[in-house]
Amino acid sequence: MTLAISRRNLLAGAGVLAASPALAAPDFQPVLDYVQSQRTTGFLIVQDHKTLVEKNWPLPADATDFRAAFTHGTAPDGALLEDVASQQKSFVALLVAVAIDKGLIEVDKPVSDYIGAGWSKASPEQEQAIRVIHLLTMSSGLNEGFAFVASPGDRFFYNTPVYAVTKRVVAAAAKASLETITRDWLTAPAGMADTAWRQRPAALGNVGNATGLVTTPRDTAVFGQIVLDGGKARDGRRIVSEQALKSLFERSTTNPAYGRLWWLNGGSETIRSGGVRAPGQLIPAAPTDLVAALGFMDRRLYIAPSRELVVVRTGQAALDKDFDQQLWLRLSKALG
């Protein structure tokens, strides 16, 4: 997958761009009607660096539990500041890629080389076999209680408590706090002013991941655009090398729908976070080159390089259990 090559450039190289007739403006109303009906608080579509849709909706009065657990006020643009749940994993993956660029992390080294021995309940020999790459691909062989249940690299198991160790690894490698490296390596150079780590409330204390990434649809779209632009910020400043970025989207051997803390479309089969294995790609209606940062309660960042497209959705859990597919059916129709 080459995320830095745009659809516009491909068409221009083929001599098609100049000959293409003007296209009618997309009709996004059916898309907006659908997402609003699905308890969405924020929705953003960016294509070719242009914002096509940006909508924010207030939480209903009965969203008391969601408000207490996941929201942290309102940003200047009117969007809710939300803990975007497991979308944070993909942000951390990019921080690891930056650390690789800086020579601070080697993914084939044992996790204990960075944070010391005894971080799991495995034996010393078993723990020594768990590499950083196993944390990134959800194949550590540990269960959620950090007990050893399989050889590292043998099976995919979506494991949030063990993933959280990745945050310790990158902070230890950088000899700086996660908050500091996130600001210095990503949010400040990218201009993501409304993104920060926050301690989670007691209501989320049992998820095994004590800090949440709080952000907005706009900042999340900026992050998505960095990925789409091959690792560069809006001002052209390089955030991460193309090589290190590309490595995030290499399909893992244990799950064709997963890279390094990123979900990938277009694979031959998909093992979802709940462990269900099914033939076919992650979202059949979406472009096959789509990569995604997916979070609990259907917080979504979709990036489709072939369409130069970034789509963000925040809010409560969608009512439609087939949300991803139904949204992309509507998006595909609107975009043509």
Side-chain angles (χ1 to χ4, degrees), residues 81-153:
L81 289 160
E82 293 186 26
D83 176 343
V84 292
S86 284
Q87 276 191 351
Q88 67 164 260
K89 295 179 172 75
S90 300
F91 286 74
V92 170
L94 189 130
L95 295 177
V96 172
V98 176
I100 291 169
D101 281 338
K102 294 178 179 292
L104 301 174
I105 287 180
E106 294 180 28
V107 297
D108 290 324
K109 282 190 173 183
V111 173
S112 54
D113 281 11
Y114 297 96
I115 61 174
W119 61 272
S120 75
K121 295 178 182 176
S123 71
E125 295 78 14
Q126 291 168 337
E127 186 180 274
Q128 187 69 12
I130 303 172
R131 315 287 172 163
V132 175
I133 189 64
H134 298 135
L135 299 184
L136 296 172
T137 57
M138 297 287 184
S139 61
S140 68
L142 301 178
N143 65 18
E144 290 180 331
F146 288 80
F148 188 90
V149 295
S151 297

Side-chain angles (χ1 to χ4, degrees), residues 36 42 49-50 112 155 158 177 190 198 213 216-217 245 279 313:
Q36 186 177 9
H49 296 88
K50 297 174 183 176
S112 54
R155 67 176 71 164
Y158 191 84
S177 69
R198 301 277 191 96
L213 188 71
T216 64
L245 182 67
R313 186 266 178 187

Side-chain angles (χ1 to χ4, degrees), residues 59-69 316:
L59 276 172
D62 63 359
T64 305
D65 291 345
F66 180 87
R67 184 177 285 105
Q316 299 182 86

Side-chain angles (χ1 to χ4, degrees), residues 6 34 38 46-47 63 82 97-98 114 117 154 164 176 215 219 231 235 241-242 246 263 267 292 304 308:
S6 71
Y34 176 70
Q38 297 302 309
V46 179
Q47 188 172 44
E82 293 186 26
V98 176
Y114 297 96
D154 274 5
T215 187
D219 268 13
D235 64 0
S241 71
E242 287 192 63
K246 185 178 179 181
W263 291 94
E308 291 286 327

Side-chain angles (χ1 to χ4, degrees), residues 103-244:
L104 301 174
I105 287 180
E106 294 180 28
V107 297
D108 290 324
K109 282 190 173 183
V111 173
S112 54
D113 281 11
Y114 297 96
I115 61 174
W119 61 272
S120 75
K121 295 178 182 176
S123 71
E125 295 78 14
Q126 291 168 337
E127 186 180 274
Q128 187 69 12
I130 303 172
R131 315 287 172 163
V132 175
I133 189 64
H134 298 135
L135 299 184
L136 296 172
T137 57
M138 297 287 184
S139 61
S140 68
L142 301 178
N143 65 18
E144 290 180 331
F146 288 80
F148 188 90
V149 295
S151 297
D154 274 5
R155 67 176 71 164
F156 177 85
F157 174 59
Y158 191 84
N159 191 331
T160 290
V162 170
Y163 142 75
V165 175
T166 312
K167 297 194 282 189
R168 292 171 54 193
V169 168
V170 70
K175 296 181 171 60
S177 69
L178 182 66
E179 292 79 8
T180 296
I181 61 177
T182 302
R183 181 194 65 224
D184 293 350
W185 296 359
L186 176 59
T187 59
M192 296 163 60
D194 295 316
T195 300
W197 294 99
R198 301 277 191 96
Q199 283 296 125
R200 285 176 157 165
L204 297 177
N206 64 349
V207 299
N209 187 19
T211 52
L213 188 71
V214 174
T215 187
T216 64
R218 217 178 257 187
D219 268 13
T220 302
V222 170
F223 176 70
Q225 194 67 55
I226 290 168
V227 173
L228 199 55
D229 289 342
K232 291 184 178 181
R234 286 175 290 191
D235 64 0
R237 193 182 325 188
R238 181 157 292 284
I239 303 294
V240 62
S241 71
E242 287 192 63
Q243 180 178 356

